[in-house]
Amino acid sequence: MEERSNMYDIGRIELDRISKNNRAFSIIMLLVVLGTFFDAIEQYNAGYAATGVSAAFHISAAAISTQVEFITFGFMAVGGLMAGYMGDNLGRRFLYSFNLGIYAIGALISALSVNYIMFLLGRMVVGLGLGGEIAIGLTLISEIMPTRIRSQFTGIVNVGPGFGIFAVAVLALLFLGPYEGIFGGPYLAWRWFLGVLILPALLILVYRRYIPETPRFLISKGRQDEAFAVIKMLSEDKLIPVKRLKSYYNINELKKQYKYNDLKTITEKPHTSELFKGRYARRSLLLFVLSFITFGVSASFTIIYPELFSSVTSSLHLSSSFILTTIVNFGTLLGTFTAVLLAAKNRKILIPSLGILAIFGAGLTVAFHSYPYMVIVSLFIFALFSYASNTTIWLYSPEMYPTRVRNIGTGYILVTSLAGVAIMEVFVSYIYSLYNIIGIGIVAIGAFIIYVILAYIMAEDTSMKDLEVVSP
């Protein structure tokens, strides 16, 4: 007999009864992944456009790349925290429903900028939208999916950025490469390149009116009638616009079907301080350090690959480092799929194991640094398992906090991840300038040794477990 002691129990049980082949789940997942896909393109497209921006505003391309990266990632952190607070107080879909519109506006400002200050202002707006997109998307998917597919679907959120990294390179080739003349040459092509994503982003914005609020959030705010209307809709494999949903089902029939009328209404208020008390303080410490290491090291390596491979290309008689960078970046995409495939495995074993394999890849890089082909192979292995580690931490994070603070907890982890990129990029670049590939390989080994030790000691297994059980 299934226990139905509170509203959360009924909501969880009824969600878990829905078939994993449900079309509505697939559409929600697709809309979220498309959002993260555009996220990745917006994160990196300004770097590709730096040469054109430099020509337009007479500022060095190197300065533009550094400043834009700092502003974008910095405001992503701000956006992640804002979205975290708003998500736990006003709802997961409140900001998420028009979040793509925020960075579409930022992209438009950047594309139409008449001076460099206006261009940077546009990147600030882009950063705010990007940060909110990531923090809320992870929470929404983790809460709305049945337990048996929760981990895999949360992991799939990170597949979008993997494809986005490749897509931005293709778009750059189209707008800024041999076909640049079609789009007005170097003084105009970069504007088309930055602005082209406005249309697909706004299209997804229209469809997001169908993404429902998560039943868990609604229950936590005492809005159980709406929660079970969402569950009823999903069980019927429908997606009804939110405004119509409130009147679509008869409340008395919902109470009769789900038998929740006699249970106590739950009303929870989010207190950020809870992230730093008791069991959640231990979890926060673990997640902050692991996300700092995985995202910081892997992203800083990704940024330095073009420079690193410039010396390798001459040894292999290649004209461009782009091919080698693309090969290794394929490892990052493969890493996200690896994390999805392994998502249901015991986290206490999986997380340190992925870290050990990342150490193996970095170790090969150090050991065979003078052999160009082995450098490619070893960095591919490192990219694969470092990004598999990163994706696993992302899908792990929402499971480690209760519904009332899940969104802000995920927002803080986004901030530590971005801090990892900011700090590790500077550190890795400095070490590379002094000790070349051996130096950064040793940095990666040292960072992931800390990762493995902490994960082995402190990680908990949350796979295939109810969210309310692991994070009451």
Side-chain angles (χ1 to χ4, degrees):
M1 183 73 177
E2 293 175 309
E3 184 181 1
R4 293 170 172 254
S5 59
N6 60 47
M7 294 287 183
Y8 280 133
D9 285 336
I10 300 179
R12 169 182 53 78
I13 290 169
E14 296 300 334
L15 276 175
D16 285 350
R17 284 179 172 172
I18 300 174
S19 169
K20 67 178 181 180
N21 297 319
N22 186 287
R23 184 176 60 91
F25 286 143
S26 299
I27 294 173
I28 293 170
M29 186 74 250
L30 176 63
L31 292 175
V32 172
V33 169
L34 284 173
T36 61
F37 170 77
F38 293 133
D39 265 9
I41 296 177
E42 284 289 359
Q43 276 180 257
Y44 296 103
N45 64 358
Y48 284 92
T51 301
V53 177
S54 174
F57 302 130
H58 309 292
I59 298 171
S60 76
I64 291 170
S65 294
T66 302
Q67 291 167 10
V68 165
E69 192 172 299
F70 177 80
I71 286 173
T72 302
F73 281 105
F75 276 83
M76 279 178 67
V78 175
L81 285 181
M82 288 175 57
Y85 282 106
M86 294 176 73
D88 282 334
N89 284 280
L90 301 175
R92 313 314 190 202
R93 74 173 306 279
F94 174 78
L95 182 61
Y96 197 57
S97 59
F98 55 86
N99 203 56
L100 275 170
I102 294 175
Y103 70 72
I105 291 171
L108 184 62
I109 293 172
S110 297
L112 299 179
S113 55
V114 296
N115 55 49
Y116 189 53
I117 298 299
M118 183 176 175
F119 176 78
L120 293 180
L121 176 63
R123 298 310 299 179
M124 291 177 189
V125 177
V126 166
L128 289 174
L130 293 177
E133 185 80 16
I134 296 169
I136 294 182
L138 287 166
T139 302
L140 188 148
I141 292 298
S142 70
E143 287 186 348
I144 206 166
M145 296 297 168
T147 303
R148 63 188 177 279
I149 60 173
R150 181 188 69 231
S151 296
Q152 287 89 346
F153 272 56
T154 308
I156 290 172
V157 173
N158 260 26
V159 172
F163 281 109
I165 291 173
F166 283 95
V168 71
V170 173
L171 286 172
L173 182 64
L174 176 64
F175 284 91
L176 307 177
Y179 307 103
E180 187 178 59
I182 298 174
F183 301 99
Y187 290 96
L188 285 178
W190 66 270
R191 296 183 184 275
W192 286 101
F193 175 59
L194 294 181
V196 71
L197 286 181
I198 295 170
L199 293 178
L202 291 178
L203 179 63
I204 299 303
L205 178 64
V206 172
Y207 286 110
R208 279 193 177 174
R209 61 196 283 260
Y210 291 94
I211 293 182
E213 184 56 84
T214 72
R216 283 183 166 92
F217 173 81
L218 293 169
I219 288 172
S220 76
K221 299 301 181 185
R223 296 159 59 185
Q224 57 273 3
D225 293 336
E226 294 176 61
F228 288 102
V230 172
I231 292 173
K232 176 76 170 175
M233 174 189 72
L234 294 173
S235 69
E236 294 178 348
D237 205 2
K238 297 177 180 177
L239 283 178
I240 301 166
V242 174
K243 291 183 179 179
R244 286 180 51 206
L245 180 61
K246 294 180 180 179
S247 58
Y248 193 85
Y249 295 107
N250 183 284
I251 300 301
N252 290 326
E253 291 181 2
L254 290 174
K255 291 177 178 178
K256 182 178 180 181
Q257 178 178 352
Y258 295 114
K259 301 175 184 176
Y260 63 87
N261 199 35
D262 296 331
L263 294 178
K264 183 180 178 180
T265 298
I266 297 172
T267 305
E268 297 179 329
K269 294 184 178 181
H271 297 286
T272 305
S273 59
E274 192 173 358
L275 300 176
F276 309 101
K277 294 179 181 178
R279 75 168 78 182
Y280 299 121
R282 176 185 172 91
R283 292 179 177 183
S284 293
L285 173 63
L286 174 68
L287 292 171
F288 291 168
V289 175
L290 297 191
S291 61
F292 182 97
I293 290 172
T294 57
F295 198 62
V297 175
S298 55
S300 61
F301 269 54
T302 300
I303 292 168
I304 206 173
Y305 282 152
E307 181 183 356
L308 189 156
F309 287 135
S310 62
S311 60
V312 177
T313 51
S314 59
S315 302
L316 298 178
H317 305 292
L318 297 173
S319 59
S320 172
S321 65
F322 175 77
I323 296 174
L324 301 183
T325 303
T326 302
I327 291 172
V328 174
N329 279 340
F330 181 70
T332 68
L333 180 60
L334 192 59
T336 61
F337 280 109
T338 300
V340 172
L341 291 174
L342 299 175
K345 303 299 181 182
N346 187 314
R347 303 286 163 70
K348 192 168 182 62
I349 298 172
L350 176 62
I351 294 174
S353 297
L354 291 173
I356 290 170
L357 290 169
I359 292 171
F360 173 71
L364 286 178
T365 303
V366 173
F368 297 99
H369 65 276
S370 58
Y371 299 90
Y373 285 108
M374 281 304 300
V375 168
I376 306 303
V377 171
S378 60
L379 286 176
F380 180 91
I381 294 171
F382 176 75
L384 192 161
F385 291 109
S386 64
Y387 269 85
S389 300
N390 184 49
T391 300
T392 301
I393 297 304
W394 275 117
L395 66 88
Y396 188 45
S397 299
E399 300 174 346
M400 299 293 274
Y401 297 113
T403 300
R404 57 189 173 273
V405 291
R406 182 168 291 125
N407 219 144
I408 188 58
T410 305
Y412 270 102
I413 291 160
L414 173 64
V415 171
T416 56
S417 297
L418 296 173
V421 177
I423 294 171
M424 292 303 296
E425 181 196 352
V426 174
F427 183 62
V428 167
S429 296
Y430 176 72
I431 294 297
Y432 181 72
S433 68
L434 293 178
Y435 305 107
N436 213 304
I437 194 170
I438 297 177
I440 62 172
I442 292 173
V443 168
I445 292 170
F448 272 93
I449 285 175
I450 296 171
Y451 168 96
V452 169
I453 293 172
L454 268 180
Y456 180 78
I457 295 173
M458 299 176 65
E460 305 170 41
D461 181 33
T462 57
S463 58
M464 305 299 290
K465 294 182 180 180
D466 302 329
L467 290 179
E468 286 72 37
V469 173
V470 295
S471 300

